[in-house]
Amino acid sequence: MSISSKEKISVTSAIQIEGLHKKFGDYIALNNLSLEVNRGEIFGFLGLNGAGKTTTIKMLLAMLKPTSVNS
């Protein structure tokens, strides 16, 4: 089965984040992070140490509270 580019497929977000911020004292771990991962997608975090990968995952799992969220 093939899908033409003209057909629209309804996609539901599995994860949707907009304007996420996290500070630890004066250190800004996340500044205005926005991302969307749709159902069925495979998503990976790549980056240097201190880039905010673990902090983001911990907030998604409710292990950390965000400093603020822009809506």
Side-chain angles (χ1 to χ4, degrees):
M1 176 178 157
S2 66
I3 300 173
S4 74
S5 61
K6 293 181 183 179
E7 293 180 46
K8 290 187 179 181
I9 300 173
S10 176
V11 178
T12 305
S13 297
I15 299 170
Q16 187 172 10
I17 301 170
E18 291 187 30
L20 189 65
H21 297 269
K22 181 64 180 176
K23 288 178 70 174
F24 296 101
D26 290 335
Y27 180 74
I28 300 171
L30 295 173
N31 187 18
N32 199 27
L33 174 68
S34 297
L35 73 94
E36 182 175 3
V37 180
N38 295 318
R39 292 186 186 273
E41 287 185 330
I42 298 172
F43 190 88
F45 283 153
L46 300 175
L48 300 173
N49 291 343
K53 301 175 299 290
T54 301
T55 301
T56 301
I57 295 296
K58 285 184 175 184
M59 284 193 283
L60 287 172
L61 298 173
M63 295 172 67
L64 280 176
K65 290 183 180 181
T67 305
S68 65
V69 178
N70 295 339
S71 337

